[in-house]
Amino acid sequence: MTHKATIIGGGVIGGGWVARFLLSGWDVAVFDPDPDAERKISEVLGNARRALPALYDKSLPAEGDLVFYDNLGAALDGSTWVQESVPERLKLKHKIHEEVAKLAPADAIIGSSTSGFKPSKLNAVGSRVIVAHPFNPVYLLPLVELVGDAKICAAAGDHLRSIGMFPLIVRKEIEAHIADRLLEAVWREALWLIRDGICSTEELDEAIRMGFGLRWAQMGLFETYRIAGGEAGMKHFMEQFGPALSWPWSKLMDVPEFTEELVELIAGQSDAQSGHKSIRELERLRDDNLIGMMRALKKSGSGVGEVLNAHEDTLPTPGQRKLPVTVDRMIPQSWTDCNNQMNEAHYLEASAQATDRFMEMIGANADYVASGNSYFTVESHIQFVTELHAGEHLVVTTQVLSGSGKRMHLFHRLLRQDGKLAATVETMLIHVDLTSRATSLPTEAVAKCLARFAREHAELELPQGVGRYVGERRDEK
């Protein structure tokens, strides 16, 4: 079943919502009177199409349909989810939500991207909105703070998890919710540090991104401080550093006046720091950095990595062709080298993913490994045919050349989206007893399944390049 989301307001946040829903297979309707809305959202979508699929090792669902409307009622028709992302002006939000309450389907979830208003204020005009506050870029960062009616928030959470997001239900409504209150505290202290000449905007950013920002990305605040307490734990940390709360380390309750001079100082320093790059260049840099960090967390299953892994488990496995498709994914930027093409190590990584998937297909899956059995790769040979680049779609098919006794001989074809051959990887694996770490025969069930593939694939033409050695001329065989 295809769901429909209606996005009201196509700015930075609204555009991010469009991308997140659309790339998750939802149909999306956009209502925004801005004549440039379609262009702006198109540019955000360009970045999102490059970034979001690179987080996953499976293909995302086919994109839904995107339609722009100049009539709110038509945009809302048939919507499962309505997301308001207009500027933070209460009167404007009241006006929008009055109309939405009248025109939207009775069972539609109506969310507001507000970073500050409580749902009780938003609903003062008789509307039925919850706060669904995301973080930029919405198409990459999973956190959404939900505030409001418990049943609606629970239903909203189910939808958000289905598109790879992490719903955090706020227990009690409060201005600015949870995350922005923390950000506001850091922002206020930062203003003082810059105003008093302690540091520049660039130096302050370095303090975050070179240190605790990376720690926070995987552990948050309290888990980080628990580790800081050493073996004695959180209590020791509190006892050691608790007295510092009364020391003059912070001016959080004393906000500097937002003078023109302070604004000019910060704006000037920020221009010097980042003005040589366009906003789109900065967004791409940000996205690439987030992808690298989040993929690393995906490997360990920590923080956002746990969310990504859980969502990836819900994505469909590759379909079948003449040969089994064992990889179907986008190439992430982190797989490329100084030549802006896929690095040879990642040809092997792609083939390793294909081997892992094929092992699952014959029953040598995670449970099989847990039982003490597996296949180990003992030899691989790569042939590079043409370049592969970040953002390109990669499909790998696997042919069994032989599969009897302890051996499994596979031939992976790495194909570009247009079907052209990009590379081949021939690999030999040996079955191993994980307890003794010695070679062994596979179980009867796995052996039978592998033998069936081998018989079927024996009827196919032997792939060109099988058994090649390094340096052999390609016209010799």
Side-chain angles (χ1 to χ4, degrees), residues 91-294:
K91 286 185 178 180
L92 176 60
K93 289 182 182 291
H94 279 169
K95 180 182 177 183
I96 292 292
H97 287 298
E98 273 189 292
E99 295 183 57
V100 170
K102 296 173 185 176
L103 299 172
D107 58 350
I109 292 171
I110 302 171
S112 173
S113 298
T114 180
S115 58
F117 294 124
K118 299 185 292 187
S120 58
K121 281 194 173 182
L122 295 174
N123 290 323
V125 293
S127 52
R128 50 187 174 91
V129 64
I130 63 168
V131 168
H133 174 231
F135 290 80
N136 188 39
V138 181
Y139 57 78
L140 279 185
L141 295 182
L143 180 62
V144 184
E145 294 176 310
L146 298 179
V147 196
D149 180 272
K151 289 185 178 179
I152 298 176
C153 286
D158 291 338
H159 284 304
L160 292 169
R161 276 184 285 271
S162 77
I163 61 173
M165 303 191 83
F166 182 83
L168 178 64
I169 297 179
V170 181
R171 296 168 182 241
K172 297 179 180 179
E173 66 170 35
I174 185 174
E175 286 87 355
H177 326 311
I178 298 173
D180 271 3
R181 293 183 76 89
L182 297 174
L183 290 172
E184 180 71 12
V186 175
W187 169 245
R188 292 185 185 198
E189 189 65 25
L191 293 179
W192 277 113
L193 289 169
I194 293 168
R195 176 189 176 278
D196 292 346
I198 306 299
C199 62
S200 68
T201 56
E202 183 170 12
E203 291 159 352
L204 191 137
D205 283 350
E206 297 288 19
I208 296 172
R209 60 189 174 208
M210 297 298 179
F212 65 86
L214 290 171
R215 296 189 312 194
W216 284 5
Q218 53 145 345
M219 289 187 170
L221 179 64
F222 284 95
E223 194 170 32
T224 295
Y225 282 165
R226 180 181 181 86
I227 290 176
E231 293 183 1
M234 188 68 177
K235 184 177 180 181
H236 173 69
F237 173 83
M238 297 287 286
E239 291 172 345
Q240 184 176 4
F241 293 100
L245 293 174
S246 62
W247 298 349
W249 280 8
S250 173
K251 296 184 178 180
L252 289 182
M253 303 308 296
D254 185 11
V255 184
E257 184 181 354
F258 225 59
T259 63
E260 186 175 341
E261 291 76 16
L262 180 57
V263 171
E264 288 295 329
L265 175 64
I266 292 174
Q269 291 183 359
S270 182
D271 287 345
Q273 175 183 351
S274 307
H276 61 289
K277 288 187 173 73
S278 71
I279 291 299
R280 297 297 170 234
E281 288 175 324
L282 289 172
E283 287 177 344
R284 286 204 164 201
L285 180 63
R286 173 204 64 193
D287 291 353
D288 289 345
N289 289 339
L290 283 171
I291 289 165
M293 185 182 297
M294 292 162 77

Side-chain angles (χ1 to χ4, degrees), residues 355 358 362 375-376 378-381 398-412 425-431 450 453-454 457 462-463 465-468:
T355 298
F358 185 75
I362 62 172
Y375 281 93
F376 283 8
V378 293
E379 188 174 0
S380 290
H381 184 274
T398 297
Q399 182 173 348
V400 180
L401 300 180
S402 64
S404 61
K406 302 174 183 179
R407 294 189 172 195
M408 180 165 65
H409 190 184
L410 304 178
F411 193 88
H412 302 302
V425 180
E426 184 178 354
T427 186
M428 179 69 75
L429 298 100
I430 299 294
H431 193 272
L450 176 59
F453 273 103
H457 292 183
L462 197 66
V466 168
R468 277 181 52 86

Side-chain angles (χ1 to χ4, degrees), residues 353-423:
Q353 290 178 1
T355 298
D356 287 347
R357 172 63 187 136
F358 185 75
M359 285 173 58
E360 292 173 359
M361 294 171 70
I362 62 172
N365 53 20
D367 290 338
Y368 189 78
V369 173
S371 72
N373 296 284
S374 190
Y375 281 93
F376 283 8
T377 301
V378 293
E379 188 174 0
S380 290
H381 184 274
I382 307 175
Q383 295 183 88
F384 302 98
V385 180
T386 189
E387 295 181 13
L388 288 169
H389 304 94
E392 289 185 343
H393 204 88
L394 174 66
V395 170
V396 181
T397 62
T398 297
Q399 182 173 348
V400 180
L401 300 180
S402 64
S404 61
K406 302 174 183 179
R407 294 189 172 195
M408 180 165 65
H409 190 184
L410 304 178
F411 193 88
H412 302 302
R413 293 175 175 86
L414 281 66
L415 306 168
R416 300 191 322 192
Q417 191 169 9
D418 59 8
K420 291 183 179 178
L421 184 68

Side-chain angles (χ1 to χ4, degrees), residues 7 12-22 28 81 83-85 112-113 132-134 138-139 144 160 163 165:
I7 310 302
V12 172
I13 299 299
W17 276 114
V18 170
R20 172 68 80 161
F21 277 114
L22 193 70
V28 178
W81 187 293
Q83 187 71 23
E84 166 269 305
S85 299
S112 173
S113 298
H133 174 231
V138 181
Y139 57 78
V144 184
L160 292 169
I163 61 173
M165 303 191 83

